[in-house]
Amino acid sequence: MGFKGIHHFCIQTSTYKETLHFYTEILDFELVKEDIYVPKRAYKAWLKSGDLLIEVLTPKCSKPFKDYDKLNHGITHFSLLVDDAHEELKNLKSKGFRNFKPKHGEIIYKIKGGYQFKLLAPEGTEIEVRDSEEI
């Protein structure tokens, strides 16, 4: 197989409006397309930032979501690369965002080649923001 890259991430949420606000107003993703009352779901949206696409879905109309435990399986987080993690943190705080996931009591911390911090989206997705490409 010859994978070219990631096409998109899909996030299912019971907090659709809060999730759209978070990704568009806090993280500055563009709302590319929104379908209302798509078959079997109330809402579906496509968000874009650069080459990154995120599909946002509400639950299937007759089936509520089950509790998710990130220690089981599936995507546990995704990571966004920025030029300067300190500046991005300041930018997010200036927009009123406060739902960060500290490590050892610190919001932003040193990693190999730079800094990173983590935040939690309204639907529970953990997002890592880092300024180093080193792994």
Side-chain angles (χ1 to χ4, degrees):
M1 249 183 196
F3 294 113
K4 293 181 185 178
I6 294 171
H7 182 266
H8 74 276
F9 291 95
C10 178
I11 297 171
Q12 296 189 115
T13 178
S14 297
T15 58
Y16 183 78
K17 290 192 184 304
E18 294 91 339
T19 297
L20 279 189
H21 173 81
F22 172 75
Y23 285 98
T24 59
E25 300 300 319
I26 303 298
L27 294 186
D28 295 325
F29 276 73
E30 174 190 356
L31 176 60
V32 177
K33 182 178 180 183
E34 183 176 36
D35 293 322
I36 300 173
Y37 302 110
V38 294
K40 300 184 182 178
R41 297 182 191 270
Y43 294 97
K44 175 180 179 177
W46 287 95
L47 309 174
K48 185 172 184 169
S49 180
D51 292 332
L52 180 59
L53 278 173
I54 297 177
E55 179 183 23
V56 180
L57 299 172
T58 55
K60 290 187 177 178
C61 294
S62 62
K63 299 181 181 183
F65 289 132
K66 296 178 181 171
D67 287 339
Y68 171 72
D69 181 350
K70 75 175 195 169
L71 298 177
N72 287 336
H73 57 271
I75 296 173
T76 60
H77 76 273
F78 68 89
S79 181
L80 299 173
L81 185 64
V82 297
D83 290 327
D84 185 327
H86 287 90
E87 284 299 312
E88 191 58 38
L89 179 61
K90 187 165 45 170
N91 178 43
L92 293 172
K93 285 181 174 182
S94 76
K95 295 177 179 183
F97 186 77
R98 298 289 183 266
N99 197 12
F100 299 99
K101 183 179 177 186
K103 181 176 181 178
H104 306 299
E106 299 293 327
I107 292 176
I108 193 165
Y109 47 90
K110 185 97 172 105
I111 58 169
K112 187 175 184 179
Y115 289 88
Q116 79 175 21
F117 61 90
K118 294 182 180 181
L119 47 123
L120 298 172
E123 77 288 340
T125 303
E126 183 176 299
I127 302 165
E128 179 182 279
V129 179
R130 62 186 301 149
D131 59 15
S132 173
E133 292 187 46
E134 289 190 50
I135 54 174

